């Protein structure tokens, strides 16, 4: 063999070794890699800054918190339960841990912009399947209902969990996702196909686990405008910097007309006037919400789940007409009942909350977080000891 | 750019071969890294649009 | 997308090993044909494939006859297809609209009913390769007889979407060599080239693109120094993006044992604009030289005609990049630059000769001037003319308009 040919073989051998070696490192990282001193997926370790924690990291975080004999409370949902608006030390899930005491361990895996059945819900499902005592808490609003496990910024977690065989076989969910994929326009369908293929490859080569670990511990390699010049810094060196709430009089003025339109849309899309000045849920919406719940949440998880329907801030609700207020109250209570009808505990969160408990239309301040923690602690205890 | 001096730098064969293997390792790791990068928001090639 | 997709990774993981294992050309060729067809169909879809099949079949059959008027008709068909799919709306709205808005609106409405949502993938490259093929046959070269060879020339997947623009007298023998035997050296060289392209595109250009898109929106708020940095990033980004793509195309083709023409030769090391165009997108430059500039008369009819031909050629080169005025202006910017480059030594008399002497003695000065000229051109390439002008003014701490 000539030297040139030998050198080509060595290069190709090196490529194969380098690739497989990286995959092996990725497999190791998927078991141990997780943010240190974790409290939540704050902005600097979230998709907002092009950091997409792999599914294995979520599970590693949950398992690291869990201890035999204790109940693991997994918090999912969106930015409201993530604690946007609450500085790291005022995070509501820390208060929840204090209130629940030593027999519980709380881990906050909520993602900004996530639906209740994305991310954390999959971890809860996976751990329940392994007979670990888990309770799952997530939030939503009446029209959003369960959302869909794939799709959106956090949807990749579903495909990863699926192809890593972490989920309970659930035909209704698979069928609903298949129909959803078929209904997508070609470009979005292609994007979902790419996301699925990526998740398939992740199960084999663990590229997300390895390179997110490198990005967290050593160097991050993708520019983003939030971090701009600091984009390359290891995410471990960038602490949770969620700011404190603005002074009360500045909190609710931004985009007021748009925010009011959102507040109104929560109930007007679902309720229709019924007999004797009563409101009723529009039949199609009732059916859709019911079908959403039925096809999204595995039966195993339902008795271990608490869903919070989070109300909008009183500042906005106060600007509704009496009829709109009545409609709003009706929709929240009727939707909560639909969840309960499917064997899932559901509470409306926001009753008795003051303007100071919010930082904007939806997110809770430190004060609001304390109230939320009290409500959830009470409900969790009931759920665990019916 | 003049790179004419490069051929004059002849390294012993074993060193060159080791260098090729190490380059291969780096490329292999790069290919693995690319699998990660493809999942992130990808910019289309400018000229594909033409 | 295209090469940087999981689909392509999975496609490659199946396609290449099988190609290497099929030792005999008679087996390799159908496999390569199938791979190219699958690749083309996946990324272009039926709406993108059908027009290419139509003009491809016409081109192939017309060339087989070797009749000059049929070849000319084929060339017209290719150019017409390119104009229709890529420029029909531009002609309606921007050209006809300037003279007769009513007629333009009516025509645009008609055109939109027959025009697909997007132009067929790679139509600019298909059209240029087919025109090259027909012109060469028209000039007396032997056409490609075997349909399989022609199909592979047309849809050779590594170069299908963005070149380099191939020449069939070089491609077909290269294809036969690749089918006859891919060596481990080819595979190693190909892998190395792909890695280089990935680093340029994914590691460097994509990060620059994200940053440019963000700072471009807030360009007015940048300091003068930051604005210059922005211009440098813009210039680096297009080179890294396009040459990264070309590296991947060349590398992938080398994995098949087929060598494609180079497209870049350190263009930012050029010491004159003429030098730049001999180093940048070389397959396009040589195509335009051979099939537009020389047929227009090139430099054979005096200095003035040469300059006019240069301007026409570069305006067309700009338009080829997209149906928008800023591309045309970018082309003209380079056409004017080349005009000056060619003529200043003569026109300016002793001053010009002195200046030429300085540039000859100080290549670094020529390099700086060329780089700056090219960099300012990229503003026109990426932004609307008024915005590009405002950005250029900002670089000199001027505020206009």
């Amino acid at each position: 063999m000539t030297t040139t040919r030998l050198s080509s073989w060595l290069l190709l051998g090196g490529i194969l070794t380098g690739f497989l070696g990286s995959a092996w490192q990725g497999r190791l990282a998927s078991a141990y890699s997780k943010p240190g001193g974790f409290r939540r997926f704050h902005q600097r370790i979230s998709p907002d800054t092009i950091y997409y924690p792999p599914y294995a990291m979520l599970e590693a975080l949950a398992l690291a918190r869990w201890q035999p004999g204790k109940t693991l409370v997994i918090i999912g949902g969106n930015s409201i339960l993530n604690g946007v608006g609450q500085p790291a030390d005022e995070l509501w899930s820390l208060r929840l841990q204090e209130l629940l005491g030593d027999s519980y361990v709380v881990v906050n895996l909520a993602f900004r912009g996530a639906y209740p059945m994305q991310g954390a819900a999959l971890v809860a499902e996976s751990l329940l399947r392994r007979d670990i005592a888990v309770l799952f808490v997530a939030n939503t609003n009446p029209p959003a209902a369960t959302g869909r496990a794939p799709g959106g910024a956090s949807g990749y977690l579903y495909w990863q969990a699926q192809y890593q065989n972490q989920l309970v076989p659930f035909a209704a969910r698979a069928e609903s996702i298949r129909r959803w994929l078929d209904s997508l326009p070609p470009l979005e369908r292609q994007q979902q196909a790419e996301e699925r293929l990526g998740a398939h490859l992740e199960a084999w080569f663990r590229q997300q686990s390895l390179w997110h670990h490198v990005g967290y511990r050593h160097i991050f390699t993708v520019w983003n405008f939030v971090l701009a010049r600091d984009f390359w810094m290891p995410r471990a060196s960038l602490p949770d910097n969620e700011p404190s709430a603005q002074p009360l009089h500045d909190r609710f003025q931004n985009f007021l007309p748009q925010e009011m339109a959102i507040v109104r849309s929560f109930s007007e899309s679902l309720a229709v006037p019924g007999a004797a000045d009563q409101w009723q849920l529009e039949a199609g919406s009732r059916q859709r919400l019911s079908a959403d719940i039925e096809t999204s949440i595995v039966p195993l998880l339902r008795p271990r789940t608490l869903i919070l329907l989070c109300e909008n801030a009183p500042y906005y609700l106060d600007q509704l007409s009496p009829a709109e207020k009545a409609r709003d109250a009706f929709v929240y209570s009727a939707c909560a009942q639909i969840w309960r009808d499917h064997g899932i505990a559901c509470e409306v969160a926001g009753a008795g909350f003051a303007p100071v408990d919010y930082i904007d239309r939806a997110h809770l301040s430190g004060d609001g977080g304390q109230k939320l923690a009290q409500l959830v602690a009470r409900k969790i205890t009931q759920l665990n000891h019916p | 750019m003049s790179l004419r001096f490069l051929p004059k730098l002849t390294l012993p064969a074993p060193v060159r071969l080791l260098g090729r293997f190490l380059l291969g390792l780096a490329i292999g790791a790069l290919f693995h890294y690319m699998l990660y990068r493809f999942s992130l928001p990808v910019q289309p090639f400018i000229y594909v649009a033409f | 997308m295209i090469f940087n997709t999981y689909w392509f990774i999975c496609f490659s993981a199946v396609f290449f090993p099988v190609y290497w294992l099929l030792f005999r050309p008679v087996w390799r060729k159908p496999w390569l044909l199938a791979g190219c067809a699958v690749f083309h169909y996946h990324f272009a879809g039926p709406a993108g494939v059908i027009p290419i099949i139509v003009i491809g079949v016409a081109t192939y059959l017309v060339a087989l006859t070797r009749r000059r008027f049929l070849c000319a008709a084929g060339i017209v068909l290719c150019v017409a297809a390119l104009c229709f799919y890529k420029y029909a709306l531009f002609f309606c709205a921007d050209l006809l609209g300037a003279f007769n808005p009513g007629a333009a609106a009516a025509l645009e409405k008609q055109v939109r009913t027959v025009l697909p949502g997007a132009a067929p993938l790679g139509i600019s490259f298909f059209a240029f390769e087919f025109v090259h093929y027909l012109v060469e046959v028209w000039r007396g070269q032997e056409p490609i007889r075997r349909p399989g060879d022609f199909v592979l020339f047309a849809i050779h997947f590594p170069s299908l979407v963005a070149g380099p623009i191939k020449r069939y007298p070089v491609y077909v023998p290269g294809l036969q060599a690749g089918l006859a035997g891919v060596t481990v050296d080819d595979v190693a060289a190909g892998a190395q080239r792909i890695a280089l392209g990935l680093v340029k595109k994914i590691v460097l250009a994509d990060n620059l693109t994200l940053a440019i898109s963000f700072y471009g929106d807030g360009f007015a708020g940048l300091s003068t120094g930051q604005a210059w940095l922005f211009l440098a990033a813009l210039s680096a980004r297009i080179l890294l993006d396009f040459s990264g793509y070309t590296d991947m195309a060349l590398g992938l083709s080398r994995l098949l044992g087929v060598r494609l023409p180079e497209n870049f030769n350190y263009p930012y090391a050029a010491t004159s604009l003429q030098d730049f165009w001999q180093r940048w997108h070389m397959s396009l430059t040589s195509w335009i030289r051979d099939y537009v500039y020389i047929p227009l008369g090139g430099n054979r009819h005096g200095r003035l005609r040469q300059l006019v031909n240069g301007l026409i050629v570069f305006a067309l080169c700009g338009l080829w990049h997209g149906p928008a005025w800023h591309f045309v202006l970018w082309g003209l910017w380079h056409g004017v630059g080349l005009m000056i480059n060619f003529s200043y030594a003569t026109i300016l008399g002793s001053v010009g000769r002195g200046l030429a002497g300085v540039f000859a003695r100080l290549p670094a000065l020529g390099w700086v001037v060329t780089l700056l000229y090219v960099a300012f051109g990229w503003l026109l390439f990426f932004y609307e003319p008024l915005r590009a002008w405002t950005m250029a003014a900002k670089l000199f701490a001027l505020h206009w308009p």
Side-chain angles (χ1 to χ4, degrees):
Chain A
M1 192 184 289
T2 64
T3 315
T4 318
R5 187 134 296 189
L6 179 61
S7 105
S8 294
W9 278 115
L10 278 172
L11 183 92
L12 295 177
I15 291 174
L16 196 63
T17 313
F19 185 84
L20 293 177
S22 300
W24 175 57
Q25 284 299 315
R27 192 155 285 279
L28 296 180
S30 69
Y32 67 74
S33 177
K34 55 188 175 299
F38 179 80
R39 288 179 176 178
R40 64 172 154 188
F41 287 110
H42 58 82
Q43 192 186 32
R44 286 145 155 211
I45 48 171
S46 77
D48 290 17
T49 50
I50 318 198
Y51 187 89
Y52 291 80
Y55 172 79
M57 184 186 282
L58 270 65
E59 211 171 277
L61 281 164
L63 286 171
R65 291 282 293 150
W66 178 69
Q67 293 159 21
K70 296 189 177 184
T71 301
L72 179 62
V73 178
I74 297 177
I75 295 167
N78 62 24
S79 52
I80 298 176
L81 296 200
N82 175 277
V84 167
Q86 299 152 28
D89 292 335
E90 296 174 27
L91 191 58
W92 79 278
S93 45
L94 299 180
R95 176 74 181 137
L96 178 66
Q97 177 68 76
E98 287 168 18
L99 290 169
L100 288 173
D102 280 347
S103 53
Y104 292 87
V105 281
V106 177
V107 60
N108 186 338
L109 300 179
F111 268 54
R112 292 151 187 251
Y115 286 118
M117 288 304 122
Q118 294 186 319
L122 307 170
V123 178
E125 180 181 327
S126 168
L127 298 191
L128 270 176
R129 191 186 175 198
R130 284 182 252 169
D131 292 329
I132 292 175
V134 166
L135 287 170
F136 173 61
V137 184
N139 71 301
T140 187
N141 59 54
T146 62
R148 196 170 283 102
S154 314
Y156 69 95
L157 291 162
Y158 171 77
W159 299 119
Q160 288 186 5
Q162 166 87 348
Y163 293 121
Q164 287 167 32
N165 292 321
Q166 298 301 324
L167 302 181
V168 176
F170 184 32
R173 175 170 61 191
E175 174 59 18
S176 147
I177 290 171
R178 192 192 59 75
R179 272 189 275 116
W180 169 69
L181 288 172
D182 288 344
S183 72
L184 290 175
L187 193 63
E188 279 179 52
R189 202 181 312 160
Q190 207 174 342
Q191 281 167 354
Q192 281 301 316
E194 275 292 297
E195 210 163 281
R196 285 174 73 172
L197 272 178
H200 247 307
L201 295 174
E202 168 68 8
W204 295 337
F205 303 120
R206 300 292 176 159
Q207 70 274 10
Q208 302 295 339
S209 292
L210 176 62
W211 297 104
H212 275 92
H213 177 71
V214 170
Y216 186 79
R217 290 282 166 209
H218 306 292
I219 183 170
F220 201 77
T221 50
V222 191
W223 190 90
N224 68 87
F225 74 91
V226 178
L227 298 176
R229 284 183 190 174
D230 293 335
F231 84 90
W232 57 274
M233 290 177 71
R235 296 300 172 94
S237 68
L238 300 171
D240 184 340
N241 65 342
E242 186 67 30
S244 296
Q246 290 180 300
L248 192 56
H249 53 81
D250 290 337
R251 291 186 195 178
F252 308 115
Q253 300 305 318
N254 292 335
F255 308 108
L256 188 58
Q258 292 91 331
E259 294 287 29
M260 281 309 298
I262 294 172
V263 170
R264 289 194 173 92
S265 74
F266 275 20
S267 57
E268 76 186 354
S269 60
L270 298 178
V272 288
D277 287 343
Q278 297 291 304
W279 291 98
Q280 62 181 39
L281 281 184
E282 192 261 322
S285 299
R286 175 182 285 279
Q287 209 174 3
R288 180 181 64 80
L289 296 182
S290 201
D292 263 11
I293 295 167
E294 201 55 43
T295 57
S296 301
I297 310 176
V298 288
L300 178 72
L301 187 60
R302 291 179 198 177
R304 310 293 294 171
T305 296
L306 169 64
I307 292 292
L308 302 167
L309 293 183
C310 292
E311 282 190 340
N312 290 299
Y315 178 86
Y316 300 92
L317 296 181
D318 288 346
Q319 299 189 40
L320 296 175
S321 67
E324 286 173 328
K325 279 182 189 165
R327 185 181 65 189
D328 206 58
F330 165 77
V331 162
Y332 272 80
S333 119
C335 287
Q337 191 54 48
I338 295 178
W339 283 90
R340 290 182 200 122
D341 291 345
H342 287 82
I344 296 161
C346 183
E347 284 302 314
V348 177
F353 283 32
V356 74
D357 295 330
Y358 287 83
I359 62 144
D360 55 21
R361 176 182 59 75
H363 299 107
L364 299 170
S365 63
D367 293 341
Q370 304 290 310
K371 288 185 182 167
L372 181 72
Q374 287 165 12
L375 169 71
V376 173
R378 202 166 54 243
K379 291 295 163 191
I380 288 277
T381 315
Q382 288 171 5
L383 198 61
N384 210 26
H385 306 288
Chain B
M1 282 192 291
S2 176
L3 300 172
R4 280 181 218 132
F5 65 94
L6 278 183
K8 292 175 192 163
L9 293 175
T10 47
L11 295 166
V15 177
R16 268 189 289 131
L17 293 175
L18 178 66
R20 289 286 280 176
F21 181 72
L22 293 178
L23 176 65
L25 284 181
I27 293 175
L30 174 79
F31 286 169
H32 190 263
Y33 169 75
M34 289 306 152
L35 288 184
Y36 150 69
R37 283 299 298 268
F38 289 0
S39 73
L40 304 181
V42 167
Q43 308 299 318
F45 288 99
I46 295 172
Y47 266 69
V48 168
F50 301 151
Chain C
M1 301 243 270
I2 309 284
F3 294 151
N4 44 358
T5 53
Y6 288 122
W7 185 90
F8 184 68
I9 296 290
C10 296
F11 166 84
S12 301
V14 175
F15 175 79
F16 284 107
V18 173
Y19 181 86
W20 296 325
L21 288 172
L22 297 171
F23 285 106
R24 302 178 64 175
V26 71
W27 296 333
R28 266 191 184 147
K29 195 168 170 181
W31 180 246
L32 180 56
L33 273 166
C36 291
V38 167
F39 178 95
H40 189 199
Y41 186 81
H42 176 78
F43 285 112
V49 167
I50 290 166
I52 303 303
I53 292 176
V54 171
I55 56 171
V57 167
T59 301
Y60 174 70
L61 295 176
V62 154
L64 279 185
T65 68
R66 303 187 72 181
R67 289 176 188 273
R68 297 183 75 165
F69 77 94
L70 282 177
C71 287
I75 292 167
V76 170
L77 173 72
C78 293
V79 175
L82 178 63
C83 291
F84 173 70
Y85 284 112
K86 200 166 163 182
Y87 301 107
L89 293 176
F90 175 72
F91 286 142
C92 292
D94 290 60
L95 287 177
L96 183 59
F99 303 104
N100 189 339
L107 186 61
E108 188 179 334
K109 201 176 164 191
Q110 288 296 316
V111 167
R112 280 190 190 279
T113 58
V114 284
L115 209 57
L121 183 71
I123 182 78
S124 307
F125 293 91
F126 280 114
F128 274 31
E129 288 188 349
F130 290 161
V131 167
H132 139 75
Y133 176 63
L134 290 169
V135 171
E136 292 306 323
V137 172
W138 185 81
R139 285 173 178 169
Q141 289 247 35
E142 190 65 23
I144 302 173
R145 298 265 165 213
R146 283 181 288 213
D149 287 357
F150 180 80
V151 173
L152 285 174
F153 168 65
I155 59 168
H156 182 73
F157 76 83
S159 61
L160 188 148
V161 280
I165 299 166
K166 305 184 293 293
R167 302 291 180 107
Y168 84 93
V170 179
Y171 172 77
V172 174
L175 173 70
Q176 303 307 341
L179 292 172
V182 191
T183 66
V184 66
D185 298 338
D186 283 325
V187 177
Q192 235 176 299
R193 196 71 191 259
I194 292 167
L196 178 65
L198 285 168
V199 170
K200 285 184 185 175
K201 165 67 182 165
I202 309 281
V203 180
L204 302 172
D206 277 359
N207 272 336
L208 285 173
T209 303
L210 291 168
I212 285 165
S213 140
F214 178 72
Y215 289 115
D217 292 342
F219 192 79
L222 298 183
S223 69
T224 305
Q226 287 171 328
W228 280 98
L229 208 58
F230 178 89
L231 185 68
L234 196 70
S235 307
R237 177 261 192 134
I238 185 164
L239 173 64
L240 292 167
D241 189 285
F242 190 23
S243 73
Y245 170 85
T246 306
D247 286 330
M248 282 184 241
L250 266 59
L252 288 164
S253 191
R254 191 74 188 272
L255 295 184
L256 303 169
V258 180
R259 289 172 192 245
L260 292 178
E262 291 289 342
N263 235 2
F264 295 91
N265 179 25
Y266 303 101
Y268 290 162
T271 53
S272 72
L273 210 51
Q274 190 187 2
D275 189 19
F276 173 78
W277 279 104
Q278 285 165 356
R279 294 161 174 268
W280 177 273
H281 203 172
M282 297 185 303
S283 65
L284 175 69
T285 315
S286 63
W287 189 97
I288 288 176
R289 181 196 63 211
D290 294 344
Y291 302 114
V292 185
Y293 181 68
I294 292 174
L296 278 174
N299 56 4
R300 299 190 302 276
H301 303 287
R303 183 55 61 120
L304 182 66
R305 179 75 182 273
Q306 181 189 1
L307 297 178
V308 172
N309 287 344
L311 282 180
I312 292 171
V313 158
F314 272 92
L316 288 175
C317 172
L319 193 61
W320 178 84
H321 284 85
W325 286 116
H326 67 101
F327 285 123
V328 178
L329 287 175
W330 171 77
L332 286 172
W333 170 260
H334 276 274
V336 169
L338 275 168
M339 209 160 94
I340 296 167
N341 189 204
F342 278 128
S343 56
Y344 75 94
T346 321
I347 291 172
L348 297 180
S350 60
V351 177
R353 283 193 296 279
L355 211 51
V358 172
F359 279 121
R361 278 196 302 280
L362 294 171
L365 183 64
W367 173 69
V368 170
V369 172
T370 306
L371 201 55
L372 283 175
Y373 194 87
V374 169
F376 278 97
W378 293 133
L379 291 176
L380 274 173
F381 188 89
F382 285 109
Y383 301 102
E384 292 301 318
L386 187 64
R387 183 150 181 230
W389 176 255
T390 313
M391 291 168 105
K394 167 92 184 166
L395 288 161
F396 296 100
L398 302 171
H399 296 284
W400 191 93

